[in-house]
Amino acid sequence: MARIAVIGAGMGAMAAAARLAVAGHRVAVYERTETYGGALRRLERDGFAFDTGPGLLPLPAVYRDLFLKTGKEPLEACVELVQVDPSSHHVFADGTRVSLPNASRAGVVSALEESLGADAARRWGEFLVRARDAWDRSRRPLLEEPLWPNWRVLAEREPYPAVPHRRFLRTRTAGTLAEAGAWELRDPRLIALLEGHALAYGLDPRATPASAAVLPYMEHAFGMWYVRGGMRELARAVYERCLARRVEFRFGAEVAGILEKDGRAAGLELADGTVAEADLVVAGVAPGVLDRLSRGTRVRGAGEVPARRGTASRVTVALALRGGRPEGTPHRTVVHTEDREAELESLSGAPGGLPPRPTVTVLRPDDPALVPDAGHEAVTVTSVVPAGAEGAWDAYAGNLIAVAERAVPGLRDRLLWHEVRTPADIAGETGAEGGAVPVPALAAAGGRLLHPANSTSLAGLFTAGGWSHPGGGLPHAGMSGALVAGLIVEGPEFRGSQ
């Protein structure tokens, strides 16, 4: 039985802690804030409650597996999962609207045919077939296996089977998501639908590999789910599963450094000067934090995937509304930008500030637990901004509310109050520089969207969470915990779940 010290109580770190405790190890989690969950936070005021992190869960099978492997109670006995249907409602720049059913390719194609026409529906259906091929080719190495030592194969291999495009006597295939959309989908509304999945992580589709086609495919194939009571309930359930497996949590315990002895991790030094000895250390922190804690020790060897610093963050506006949620209201509405180029230039860091009318996601859960009574509604509005962005956030929130009114008619007349969560708030909660949000691992593009392996060059030190393989997003964080546990329990020969 090893003593294992875990830095951070984010979802990936807790997933690793629970699995390691079940394997018989003595696990202690050191969290610098006063609570668990990482980015899965909740704002509560006047009887209203709002998720300020991820609002929906794709691939719930990841957390079903975690609960199956760590105890007798399945996930559904600990939280109430609700499949969101429609999966999303979209408002395009030209005013066209479409609701896409959950986890139904045929249903999505039918809905698109009714709203956008038969040709657009056919093109999207054919795209989903190609996206499925990309998923089948990349799923195991990108999600289910430890990062390959010869990771450059993933960096060079584009799994998306792009359709050849002929122009001016030359034939090319799409190298970026934007090219795939322009050449294969053609309809600007379909392009917005495709690119919105990359924009949700702050990825510029003009520079994002075509392999990002797996992002919309995951949603269409596996559905989108909500946790009754808010997504914070998922964090609560994982935390309680850790406690049931005798994981020890120490909140308000800031780690100042990782101890090294005889060339391997040997424990932690806390900010108050105390030492926590350990046989193994799991770090669930952002790259800049890991650099600081390692105190000059090289934890990534030459030739490994370099740590990826995030370039995008999010602004979330919590809206307390008078009047109940109308029956039949979509849970999630995406209002697409009317100026794509301005939005992309803003995310790329070009001067000019934040766009006045960006793409926004409006979440309107049908959940009595989030409101004081049936005569009120709790709504969140979110947009992506550059990491570290600063500005007049109240004015920007006003812009988001104006855009959101396309999804919530009469919004400003119903508004009781609003609160804004900025990149600085995310930085305070997660420790990520500039409040950056990690992106899921994607193949191709020279490895720019891969994340470092879960093992490190310092023996006994492992990494979990969105800033290590397989990257950002709730499912990916859970997968990272499973990979770390496998590497520790089974050793370097571990090859992932079968």
Side-chain angles (χ1 to χ4, degrees), residues 213-291:
V214 300
L215 299 177
Y217 174 76
M218 287 170 58
E219 178 173 323
H220 288 310
F222 306 111
M224 295 295 284
W225 301 75
Y226 173 69
V227 178
R228 187 72 69 188
M231 293 301 298
R232 174 72 177 172
E233 287 297 291
L234 179 63
R236 187 266 310 160
V238 175
Y239 169 67
E240 291 182 354
R241 178 53 55 91
C242 287
L243 293 179
R245 301 282 77 82
R246 301 185 185 278
V247 174
E248 179 183 355
F249 283 82
R250 299 184 184 178
F251 295 107
E254 184 170 359
V255 177
I258 298 170
L259 300 179
E260 179 184 350
K261 183 178 180 181
D262 299 328
R264 63 177 295 113
L268 308 176
E269 181 183 348
L270 304 183
D272 63 6
T274 60
V275 169
E277 295 183 349
D279 303 302
L280 300 163
V281 173
V282 177
V285 296
V289 178
L290 184 60
D291 290 344

Coordinates of all heavy atoms in Angstrom, one line a residue, residues 213-291:
A213 N -13.7 17.4 -36.0 CA -15.0 16.9 -36.3 C -15.5 15.9 -35.3 O -16.7 15.7 -35.2 CB -14.9 16.2 -37.7
V214 N -14.6 15.4 -34.5 CA -15.1 14.4 -33.4 C -15.9 15.1 -32.4 O -16.7 14.5 -31.7 CB -13.9 13.7 -32.8 CG1 -13.1 12.9 -33.8 CG2 -13.0 14.6 -32.0
L215 N -15.8 16.4 -32.2 CA -16.5 17.2 -31.2 C -18.0 17.2 -31.4 O -18.8 16.8 -30.5 CB -15.9 18.6 -31.0 CG -14.5 18.7 -30.6 CD1 -14.0 20.1 -30.5 CD2 -14.2 18.0 -29.3
P216 N -18.5 17.6 -32.6 CA -19.9 17.4 -32.9 C -20.4 16.0 -32.9 O -21.5 15.7 -32.5 CB -20.1 18.2 -34.2 CG -18.8 18.2 -34.8 CD -17.8 18.3 -33.7
Y217 N -19.5 15.1 -33.4 CA -19.9 13.7 -33.5 C -20.2 13.1 -32.1 O -21.1 12.4 -31.9 CB -18.8 12.8 -34.1 CG -19.1 11.4 -34.1 CD1 -20.1 10.8 -34.9 CD2 -18.6 10.5 -33.1 CE1 -20.5 9.5 -34.8 CE2 -18.9 9.2 -33.0 CZ -19.9 8.7 -33.9 OH -20.2 7.4 -33.8
M218 N -19.3 13.5 -31.1 CA -19.5 13.0 -29.7 C -20.9 13.4 -29.2 O -21.6 12.6 -28.6 CB -18.5 13.5 -28.8 CG -17.1 12.8 -29.0 SD -15.8 13.7 -28.1 CE -16.4 13.6 -26.4
E219 N -21.3 14.6 -29.5 CA -22.6 15.1 -29.0 C -23.7 14.4 -29.7 O -24.7 13.9 -29.1 CB -22.7 16.6 -29.3 CG -24.0 17.2 -28.8 CD -24.1 18.7 -28.9 OE1 -23.0 19.3 -28.6 OE2 -25.1 19.2 -29.3
H220 N -23.6 14.2 -31.0 CA -24.7 13.5 -31.8 C -24.8 12.0 -31.4 O -25.9 11.5 -31.4 CB -24.5 13.7 -33.3 CG -24.8 15.1 -33.7 ND1 -25.9 15.8 -33.4 CD2 -24.1 15.9 -34.5 CE1 -25.9 17.0 -34.0 NE2 -24.8 17.1 -34.6
A221 N -23.6 11.4 -31.2 CA -23.6 9.9 -31.0 C -24.0 9.6 -29.5 O -24.7 8.6 -29.3 CB -22.2 9.4 -31.3
F222 N -23.5 10.3 -28.6 CA -23.7 9.9 -27.2 C -24.6 10.8 -26.4 O -24.9 10.5 -25.2 CB -22.3 9.9 -26.5 CG -21.3 9.0 -27.2 CD1 -20.2 9.6 -27.9 CD2 -21.5 7.6 -27.3 CE1 -19.4 8.8 -28.6 CE2 -20.6 6.9 -28.0 CZ -19.5 7.4 -28.7
G223 N -25.1 11.9 -27.0 CA -26.1 12.7 -26.3 C -25.5 13.7 -25.3 O -24.3 13.7 -25.0
M224 N -26.3 14.6 -24.9 CA -25.9 15.6 -23.8 C -26.8 15.4 -22.6 O -28.0 15.2 -22.8 CB -26.1 17.0 -24.4 CG -25.1 17.3 -25.5 SD -23.3 17.3 -25.0 CE -23.2 18.8 -24.1
W225 N -26.2 15.5 -21.4 CA -27.0 15.1 -20.2 C -26.8 16.3 -19.2 O -25.8 17.0 -19.2 CB -26.4 13.8 -19.6 CG -26.5 12.7 -20.6 CD1 -25.8 12.4 -21.7 CD2 -27.5 11.6 -20.5 NE1 -26.2 11.3 -22.3 CE2 -27.2 10.7 -21.6 CE3 -28.5 11.3 -19.6 CZ2 -28.0 9.6 -21.8 CZ3 -29.2 10.1 -19.8 CH2 -29.0 9.3 -20.9
Y226 N -27.8 16.4 -18.4 CA -27.9 17.4 -17.3 C -28.0 16.6 -16.0 O -28.7 15.5 -15.9 CB -29.0 18.3 -17.5 CG -29.3 19.3 -16.3 CD1 -28.4 20.3 -16.1 CD2 -30.4 19.2 -15.5 CE1 -28.6 21.2 -15.0 CE2 -30.6 20.1 -14.5 CZ -29.7 21.1 -14.2 OH -29.9 21.9 -13.2
V227 N -27.4 17.1 -14.9 CA -27.5 16.5 -13.6 C -28.5 17.4 -12.8 O -28.3 18.6 -12.6 CB -26.1 16.5 -12.9 CG1 -26.3 15.9 -11.5 CG2 -25.2 15.6 -13.7
R228 N -29.6 16.7 -12.4 CA -30.6 17.4 -11.7 C -30.0 18.1 -10.4 O -29.3 17.5 -9.7 CB -31.7 16.5 -11.3 CG -32.9 17.1 -10.6 CD -33.7 17.9 -11.7 NE -34.4 17.0 -12.6 CZ -35.0 17.4 -13.7 NH1 -35.1 18.7 -14.0 NH2 -35.6 16.5 -14.5
G229 N -30.4 19.4 -10.2 CA -29.8 20.1 -9.1 C -28.6 20.9 -9.5 O -28.0 21.7 -8.7
G230 N -28.2 20.8 -10.8 CA -27.0 21.5 -11.3 C -25.8 20.6 -11.4 O -25.6 19.6 -10.7
M231 N -24.9 20.9 -12.3 CA -23.7 20.1 -12.5 C -22.8 20.0 -11.3 O -22.0 19.1 -11.2 CB -22.9 20.6 -13.7 CG -23.7 20.5 -15.1 SD -24.1 18.8 -15.5 CE -22.5 18.1 -15.6
R232 N -22.9 21.0 -10.4 CA -22.1 20.9 -9.2 C -22.5 19.6 -8.4 O -21.6 19.1 -7.7 CB -22.5 22.1 -8.3 CG -21.9 22.1 -6.9 CD -20.4 22.3 -6.9 NE -19.9 22.4 -5.6 CZ -18.6 22.5 -5.3 NH1 -17.7 22.5 -6.2 NH2 -18.2 22.5 -4.0
E233 N -23.7 19.0 -8.6 CA -24.0 17.8 -8.0 C -23.2 16.6 -8.4 O -22.9 15.7 -7.7 CB -25.5 17.5 -8.3 CG -26.5 18.3 -7.5 CD -26.3 18.1 -6.0 OE1 -26.7 17.1 -5.5 OE2 -25.8 19.1 -5.3
L234 N -22.7 16.7 -9.6 CA -21.7 15.6 -10.1 C -20.4 15.7 -9.3 O -19.9 14.6 -8.8 CB -21.4 15.8 -11.6 CG -20.5 14.8 -12.2 CD1 -21.0 13.3 -12.1 CD2 -20.1 15.1 -13.6
A235 N -19.9 16.9 -9.1 CA -18.7 17.1 -8.2 C -19.0 16.6 -6.8 O -18.1 15.9 -6.2 CB -18.3 18.5 -8.2
R236 N -20.2 16.9 -6.3 CA -20.5 16.4 -4.9 C -20.5 14.9 -4.8 O -20.0 14.3 -3.9 CB -21.9 17.0 -4.5 CG -22.3 16.8 -3.1 CD -23.2 15.5 -3.0 NE -24.2 15.5 -3.9 CZ -24.9 14.4 -4.3 NH1 -24.5 13.2 -3.7 NH2 -25.9 14.4 -5.2
A237 N -21.1 14.3 -5.9 CA -21.1 12.8 -5.9 C -19.8 12.2 -5.9 O -19.5 11.2 -5.2 CB -22.0 12.3 -7.0
V238 N -18.9 12.7 -6.8 CA -17.5 12.2 -6.9 C -16.8 12.4 -5.5 O -16.0 11.5 -5.0 CB -16.8 12.8 -8.0 CG1 -15.3 12.3 -8.1 CG2 -17.5 12.4 -9.4
Y239 N -16.9 13.6 -4.9 CA -16.3 13.9 -3.7 C -16.8 12.9 -2.6 O -16.0 12.3 -1.8 CB -16.6 15.3 -3.3 CG -16.3 15.7 -1.8 CD1 -15.0 15.8 -1.4 CD2 -17.3 16.0 -0.9 CE1 -14.6 16.1 -0.1 CE2 -17.0 16.3 0.4 CZ -15.7 16.4 0.8 OH -15.3 16.7 2.1
E240 N -18.1 12.6 -2.5 CA -18.6 11.7 -1.5 C -18.2 10.3 -1.8 O -17.9 9.5 -0.8 CB -20.1 11.8 -1.5 CG -20.6 13.1 -0.9 CD -22.1 13.2 -0.8 OE1 -22.8 12.3 -1.3 OE2 -22.6 14.2 -0.3
R241 N -18.0 9.9 -3.1 CA -17.5 8.6 -3.4 C -16.0 8.5 -2.9 O -15.6 7.4 -2.3 CB -17.5 8.3 -4.9 CG -17.0 7.0 -5.3 CD -17.5 5.8 -4.6 NE -19.0 5.7 -4.6 CZ -19.7 5.0 -5.5 NH1 -19.1 4.4 -6.5 NH2 -21.0 5.0 -5.4
C242 N -15.2 9.5 -3.0 CA -13.9 9.5 -2.5 C -13.9 9.4 -0.9 O -13.1 8.6 -0.4 CB -13.2 10.8 -2.8 SG -12.7 11.0 -4.5
L243 N -14.8 10.1 -0.3 CA -14.9 10.0 1.2 C -15.2 8.5 1.6 O -14.7 8.0 2.6 CB -15.9 11.0 1.7 CG -15.6 12.4 1.6 CD1 -16.7 13.3 2.2 CD2 -14.2 12.8 2.4
A244 N -16.2 7.9 0.9 CA -16.6 6.6 1.2 C -15.5 5.6 1.0 O -15.4 4.5 1.6 CB -17.8 6.2 0.3
R245 N -14.5 5.9 0.1 CA -13.3 5.0 -0.1 C -12.2 5.5 0.8 O -11.0 5.1 0.6 CB -12.9 5.1 -1.6 CG -14.0 4.7 -2.5 CD -14.2 3.2 -2.6 NE -14.9 2.6 -1.5 CZ -16.3 2.6 -1.4 NH1 -17.0 3.1 -2.3 NH2 -16.9 2.1 -0.4
R246 N -12.4 6.3 1.8 CA -11.5 6.7 2.8 C -10.4 7.6 2.3 O -9.2 7.6 2.8 CB -10.9 5.5 3.5 CG -11.9 4.7 4.2 CD -11.3 3.6 5.1 NE -12.3 2.7 5.6 CZ -12.9 2.9 6.7 NH1 -12.7 4.0 7.4 NH2 -13.8 2.0 7.2
V247 N -10.7 8.4 1.2 CA -9.7 9.4 0.7 C -9.8 10.6 1.7 O -10.9 11.0 2.1 CB -10.1 9.9 -0.7 CG1 -9.2 11.1 -1.1 CG2 -10.0 8.8 -1.7
E248 N -8.7 11.1 2.1 CA -8.6 12.2 3.1 C -8.5 13.5 2.3 O -7.7 13.6 1.3 CB -7.4 12.1 4.0 CG -7.3 13.2 5.0 CD -6.0 13.1 5.8 OE1 -5.3 12.0 5.7 OE2 -5.7 14.0 6.6
F249 N -9.3 14.5 2.6 CA -9.2 15.8 2.0 C -8.7 16.9 3.0 O -9.2 16.9 4.2 CB -10.6 16.3 1.5 CG -11.0 15.6 0.2 CD1 -11.5 14.3 0.2 CD2 -10.8 16.2 -1.0 CE1 -11.9 13.6 -0.9 CE2 -11.2 15.5 -2.2 CZ -11.7 14.2 -2.1
R250 N -7.8 17.7 2.5 CA -7.4 18.8 3.4 C -7.5 20.1 2.5 O -6.8 20.4 1.6 CB -5.9 18.6 3.7 CG -5.6 17.4 4.6 CD -4.2 17.2 5.0 NE -4.0 15.9 5.7 CZ -2.8 15.5 6.2 NH1 -1.8 16.3 6.0 NH2 -2.7 14.3 6.8
F251 N -8.6 20.8 2.9 CA -8.9 22.1 2.2 C -8.2 23.2 2.8 O -7.8 23.2 4.0 CB -10.4 22.3 2.2 CG -11.2 21.3 1.5 CD1 -12.0 20.3 2.1 CD2 -11.2 21.3 0.1 CE1 -12.7 19.4 1.5 CE2 -11.9 20.3 -0.6 CZ -12.6 19.3 0.1
G252 N -8.0 24.3 2.0 CA -7.2 25.4 2.5 C -5.7 25.1 2.7 O -5.0 25.7 3.4
A253 N -5.3 24.0 2.0 CA -3.9 23.5 2.1 C -3.2 23.8 0.8 O -3.2 23.0 -0.1 CB -3.9 22.0 2.5
E254 N -2.5 24.9 0.8 CA -1.8 25.3 -0.5 C -0.5 24.6 -0.5 O 0.3 24.7 0.5 CB -1.6 26.8 -0.5 CG -1.0 27.2 -1.8 CD -1.0 28.7 -2.1 OE1 -1.6 29.4 -1.2 OE2 -0.5 29.2 -3.1
V255 N -0.2 24.0 -1.6 CA 1.1 23.3 -1.8 C 2.1 24.3 -2.3 O 1.9 25.0 -3.3 CB 0.9 22.1 -2.8 CG1 2.3 21.4 -3.1 CG2 -0.1 21.1 -2.3
A256 N 3.3 24.3 -1.7 CA 4.3 25.2 -2.1 C 5.4 24.5 -3.0 O 6.1 25.2 -3.7 CB 5.0 25.8 -0.8
G257 N 5.5 23.2 -2.9 CA 6.5 22.5 -3.7 C 6.3 21.0 -3.6 O 5.8 20.5 -2.7
I258 N 6.9 20.3 -4.6 CA 6.9 18.9 -4.7 C 8.3 18.5 -4.2 O 9.3 18.9 -4.7 CB 6.6 18.4 -6.1 CG1 5.2 18.8 -6.6 CG2 6.8 16.8 -6.2 CD1 5.0 18.5 -8.0
L259 N 8.3 17.6 -3.2 CA 9.6 17.2 -2.7 C 10.2 16.1 -3.6 O 9.5 15.2 -4.1 CB 9.4 16.6 -1.3 CG 8.9 17.6 -0.2 CD1 8.7 16.9 1.1 CD2 9.8 18.8 -0.1
E260 N 11.5 16.1 -3.7 CA 12.2 15.1 -4.5 C 13.3 14.5 -3.6 O 14.0 15.2 -2.9 CB 12.8 15.8 -5.7 CG 13.6 14.8 -6.6 CD 14.3 15.5 -7.7 OE1 14.0 16.7 -8.0 OE2 15.2 14.9 -8.4
K261 N 13.4 13.2 -3.7 CA 14.5 12.4 -3.0 C 14.9 11.3 -3.8 O 14.1 10.5 -4.3 CB 13.9 11.9 -1.7 CG 15.0 11.2 -0.8 CD 14.4 10.8 0.5 CE 15.4 10.1 1.4 NZ 14.8 9.6 2.7
D262 N 16.2 11.2 -4.0 CA 16.9 10.2 -4.8 C 16.2 10.0 -6.2 O 16.0 8.9 -6.7 CB 16.7 8.8 -4.1 CG 17.5 8.8 -2.7 OD1 18.5 9.5 -2.6 OD2 17.0 8.1 -1.8
G263 N 15.9 11.2 -6.8 CA 15.4 11.2 -8.2 C 14.0 10.8 -8.4 O 13.6 10.5 -9.5
R264 N 13.2 10.9 -7.3 CA 11.8 10.6 -7.4 C 11.0 11.5 -6.5 O 11.5 12.0 -5.5 CB 11.5 9.1 -7.2 CG 11.8 8.6 -5.8 CD 11.3 7.2 -5.7 NE 9.9 7.0 -5.8 CZ 9.3 6.3 -6.8 NH1 10.0 5.8 -7.8 NH2 8.0 6.2 -6.8
A265 N 9.7 11.6 -6.8 CA 8.8 12.4 -6.0 C 8.7 11.8 -4.6 O 8.5 10.5 -4.5 CB 7.4 12.6 -6.6
A266 N 8.8 12.6 -3.6 CA 8.7 12.0 -2.2 C 7.7 12.7 -1.3 O 7.7 12.4 -0.1 CB 10.1 12.1 -1.6
G267 N 6.9 13.5 -1.8 CA 5.9 14.2 -1.0 C 5.7 15.6 -1.4 O 6.2 16.1 -2.4
L268 N 5.1 16.4 -0.5 CA 4.8 17.8 -0.7 C 5.2 18.6 0.5 O 5.2 18.2 1.6 CB 3.2 18.0 -0.9 CG 2.5 17.1 -1.9 CD1 1.0 17.3 -1.8 CD2 3.0 17.3 -3.3
E269 N 5.6 19.9 0.1 CA 5.8 20.9 1.2 C 4.6 21.9 1.0 O 4.3 22.4 0.0 CB 7.1 21.6 1.0 CG 7.3 22.7 2.0 CD 8.6 23.5 1.8 OE1 9.4 23.1 1.0 OE2 8.7 24.5 2.5
L270 N 3.9 22.1 2.2 CA 2.8 23.0 2.1 C 3.2 24.5 2.4 O 4.3 24.7 2.9 CB 1.8 22.6 3.2 CG 1.2 21.2 3.0 CD1 0.2 20.9 4.0 CD2 0.7 20.9 1.6
A271 N 2.4 25.4 2.1 CA 2.7 26.8 2.3 C 3.0 27.2 3.7 O 3.7 28.1 4.0 CB 1.6 27.7 1.7
D272 N 2.4 26.4 4.7 CA 2.6 26.7 6.1 C 3.9 26.1 6.6 O 4.2 26.2 7.8 CB 1.4 26.3 6.9 CG 1.2 24.8 6.9 OD1 2.0 24.1 6.3 OD2 0.2 24.3 7.4
G273 N 4.7 25.5 5.7 CA 5.9 24.9 6.1 C 5.9 23.4 6.5 O 7.0 22.8 6.6
T274 N 4.7 22.9 6.6 CA 4.7 21.5 7.0 C 5.0 20.6 5.8 O 4.8 21.0 4.6 CB 3.3 21.1 7.5 OG1 2.3 21.4 6.5 CG2 3.0 21.9 8.8
V275 N 5.4 19.4 6.0 CA 5.7 18.4 5.0 C 4.8 17.2 5.0 O 4.5 16.7 6.1 CB 7.2 18.0 5.2 CG1 7.5 16.8 4.3 CG2 8.2 19.1 4.9
A276 N 4.3 16.8 3.9 CA 3.5 15.6 3.7 C 4.3 14.6 2.9 O 4.4 14.8 1.7 CB 2.2 16.0 3.1
E277 N 4.8 13.6 3.6 CA 5.6 12.6 2.9 C 4.7 11.7 2.1 O 3.6 11.4 2.5 CB 6.5 11.8 3.9 CG 7.5 12.7 4.6 CD 8.4 11.8 5.5 OE1 8.0 10.6 5.7 OE2 9.4 12.3 6.0
A278 N 5.2 11.2 1.0 CA 4.4 10.4 0.1 C 5.3 9.5 -0.7 O 6.4 9.9 -1.0 CB 3.4 11.2 -0.7
D279 N 4.8 8.4 -1.2 CA 5.5 7.5 -2.1 C 5.3 7.9 -3.5 O 6.1 7.7 -4.4 CB 5.1 6.1 -1.9 CG 5.3 5.6 -0.4 OD1 6.4 5.7 0.1 OD2 4.3 5.2 0.2
L280 N 4.1 8.5 -3.8 CA 3.7 8.9 -5.1 C 3.0 10.2 -5.0 O 2.3 10.5 -4.0 CB 2.8 7.9 -5.8 CG 3.4 6.5 -6.0 CD1 2.3 5.5 -6.3 CD2 4.5 6.5 -7.1
V281 N 3.1 11.1 -6.1 CA 2.3 12.3 -6.1 C 1.6 12.4 -7.4 O 2.1 12.1 -8.5 CB 3.3 13.5 -6.0 CG1 2.6 14.8 -6.3 CG2 4.0 13.5 -4.7
V282 N 0.3 12.8 -7.3 CA -0.6 13.1 -8.5 C -0.9 14.5 -8.5 O -1.5 15.0 -7.5 CB -1.8 12.2 -8.5 CG1 -2.7 12.6 -9.7 CG2 -1.5 10.7 -8.5
A283 N -0.5 15.2 -9.6 CA -0.8 16.7 -9.7 C -1.9 17.0 -10.6 O -1.8 16.6 -11.8 CB 0.5 17.4 -10.1
G284 N -3.0 17.6 -10.1 CA -4.1 17.9 -10.9 C -4.1 19.4 -11.1 O -5.1 20.1 -10.8
V285 N -3.1 20.0 -11.6 CA -2.9 21.5 -11.7 C -2.5 21.9 -13.1 O -2.1 21.1 -13.9 CB -1.9 22.0 -10.7 CG1 -2.3 21.7 -9.3 CG2 -0.5 21.3 -10.9
A286 N -2.7 23.2 -13.3 CA -2.3 23.8 -14.6 C -0.8 23.8 -14.8 O 0.0 23.7 -13.8 CB -2.9 25.2 -14.7
P287 N -0.3 23.9 -16.1 CA 1.1 23.8 -16.3 C 2.0 24.8 -15.6 O 3.0 24.5 -15.0 CB 1.2 24.0 -17.9 CG -0.1 23.6 -18.4 CD -1.1 24.0 -17.3
G288 N 1.5 26.1 -15.5 CA 2.3 27.1 -14.8 C 2.4 26.7 -13.3 O 3.5 27.0 -12.7
V289 N 1.4 26.2 -12.7 CA 1.4 25.8 -11.3 C 2.4 24.6 -11.1 O 3.2 24.6 -10.2 CB 0.0 25.4 -10.8 CG1 0.1 25.0 -9.4 CG2 -0.9 26.6 -11.0
L290 N 2.4 23.7 -12.0 CA 3.3 22.5 -11.9 C 4.7 23.0 -12.1 O 5.6 22.5 -11.3 CB 2.9 21.5 -13.0 CG 3.8 20.2 -13.0 CD1 3.5 19.5 -11.7 CD2 3.4 19.3 -14.2
D291 N 5.0 23.9 -13.0 CA 6.3 24.4 -13.1 C 6.8 25.1 -11.8 O 8.0 24.9 -11.3 CB 6.4 25.5 -14.2 CG 6.2 24.9 -15.6 OD1 6.4 23.7 -15.7 OD2 5.9 25.7 -16.5

